[in-house]
Amino acid sequence: MDLDVFVTAHRSEWDRLDHLLRRGRSRTGAEADELVALYQRTATHLSLLQSSAPDPMLTARLTQLVARARATVTGTRRASWRDAVAFLTAGFPAAVYRSRHWWIPTAVLSTLLAALIGWWIGTHPEVQSAMGAPAELREMTRPGGQYETYYSSHPAASFAAQVWTNNAQAAAMCLVLGAFLGLPVLLVLFANMLNLGVGIGLMASAGRLDVFLGLVLPHGLLELTAVFVAAGTGLRLGWTVIEPGPMTRRAALAQQGRSAIGMAIGLALVLFVSGLIEGFVTPSGLPTWARITIGIAAELAFLAYVYVLGGRAARAGDTGDVEEADRTAELPTAA
């Protein structure tokens, strides 16, 4: 492509489009139709330049021009409570449901890893000795020790807020860092399973595994499920970098990225619930069976939410992506 010839041939169209955009609402009907036609042609010109003769200054100008024209043609839309309801009843559960082939294996393998680490630590005294002095380990695992007092060490409200913030950050890291081929996600996931496995191993070696599980299960079922969903989504995003499928890599990453952002918002709400359970139920004076029952009920409610509402929305075609009108326009691809 001869760039000078191309610019000379189409500059008048770009200038005319810019002029029409500056006219605002004073455009006539014929001028509005002309604006739409010029927007479509300029988008094609931009695609040709990007694929054949990239020029930074010209590409930047046309990108801005196309973006302005698209905003004018499609208009703007304000989010409403209806959007929030649609997100919570269809978009978010559909996204979780559609990614189940990623987060369910992640959950199973991670749980097995935590159990394996716990067995290794619990059955090997030399490993426990390498982790700390016997007096330190006894202080952690004894009745009223650090593992038990951890959940009541701060006022319930502030503890729940702290737990929610930490878990939401971990989930967000899994979702955001997934684009780096999923490797950081594996590190975050391993760190979480290592902490869980250490607790299992040390408390099992002290003969108090039942106490530990009674403290962890009420909030841990829902909390870990949210982390597994985030990790699975992050790994899926990383795989998209390697294998984008029938879409272009940019389009596939954009779609998965938008879904991941929505997932982060939804999982923050899920982790808020688990934080409330951890702050108010786990350290409460309720019997162990009652606390675990609350945790199981919360977990079953979330799974029903995903498989009933999410499954129905997914079968209806909802992908968890934003509305088509709110997406960035895909420019035509030059042959």
Side-chain angles (χ1 to χ4, degrees):
M1 174 191 293
D2 190 318
L3 186 59
D4 293 332
V5 172
F6 186 82
V7 172
T8 301
H10 299 292
R11 176 177 289 161
S12 60
E13 294 177 290
W14 305 335
D15 292 341
R16 175 61 176 169
L17 177 59
D18 182 63
H19 173 72
L20 290 175
L21 290 172
R22 295 178 186 276
R23 289 285 301 275
R25 296 187 177 182
S26 62
R27 290 183 294 268
T28 65
E31 286 175 335
D33 293 338
E34 182 185 6
L35 188 150
V36 173
L38 288 173
Y39 159 60
Q40 294 172 335
R41 287 204 293 271
T42 304
T44 303
H45 297 161
L46 176 58
S47 178
L48 289 170
L49 284 172
Q50 289 176 325
S51 60
S52 302
D55 179 87
M57 294 184 62
L58 182 59
T59 299
R61 180 198 171 190
L62 292 188
T63 299
Q64 184 182 36
L65 191 60
V66 168
R68 289 169 52 206
R70 179 180 183 273
T72 300
V73 170
T74 61
T76 57
R77 187 176 63 86
R78 293 184 178 180
S80 65
W81 283 106
R82 184 174 299 176
D83 296 317
V85 172
F87 170 74
L88 292 176
T89 58
F92 171 58
V96 179
Y97 179 82
R98 292 175 66 91
S99 63
R100 67 192 185 282
H101 298 301
W102 285 89
W103 62 263
I104 290 179
T106 299
V108 172
L109 293 176
S110 298
T111 302
L112 290 176
L113 175 62
L116 180 61
I117 292 174
W119 169 82
W120 181 57
I121 293 174
T123 56
H124 291 75
E126 67 276 11
V127 176
Q128 301 168 30
S129 300
M131 295 175 61
E136 294 176 343
L137 299 182
R138 281 195 299 271
E139 178 60 28
M140 295 174 62
T141 58
R142 68 175 177 82
Q146 294 177 14
Y147 273 118
E148 291 186 40
T149 59
Y150 169 76
Y151 297 101
S152 56
S153 57
H154 296 87
S158 61
F159 183 73
Q162 178 183 352
V163 167
W164 175 55
T165 301
N166 293 338
N167 290 332
Q169 288 177 346
M173 287 177 61
C174 289
L175 292 168
V176 173
L177 299 178
F180 296 95
L181 302 181
L183 297 179
V185 177
L186 296 177
L187 294 177
V188 172
L189 199 57
F190 178 77
N192 278 271
M193 294 304 102
L194 179 61
N195 288 333
L196 179 59
V198 168
I200 292 174
L202 292 180
M203 290 293 277
S205 67
R208 309 190 71 235
L209 180 59
D210 57 332
V211 175
F212 181 76
L213 294 179
L215 292 170
V216 171
L217 289 179
H219 65 273
L221 290 172
L222 187 60
E223 177 185 296
L224 287 176
T225 300
V227 172
F228 294 147
V229 170
T233 303
L235 293 174
R236 183 183 184 185
L237 185 61
W239 181 251
T240 302
V241 177
I242 301 172
E243 177 51 60
M247 305 172 67
T248 64
R249 183 168 280 102
R250 175 187 293 182
L253 281 174
Q255 182 186 64
Q256 294 297 332
R258 289 190 300 265
S259 179
I261 292 174
M263 193 85 80
I265 297 172
L267 290 177
L269 297 176
V270 176
L271 289 169
F272 177 73
V273 175
S274 73
L276 290 177
I277 296 174
E278 187 167 1
F280 292 93
V281 175
T282 298
S284 71
L286 291 173
T288 300
W289 66 264
R291 289 186 278 112
I292 293 178
T293 299
I294 292 174
I296 293 175
E299 173 73 1
L300 292 177
F302 176 70
L303 293 178
Y305 167 72
V306 169
Y307 276 86
V308 176
L309 291 182
R312 182 187 305 157
R315 287 188 291 272
D318 199 323
T319 64
D321 200 352
V322 298
E323 296 292 334
E324 185 174 0
D326 297 326
R327 302 173 195 170
T328 301
E330 288 297 322
L331 297 175
T333 303

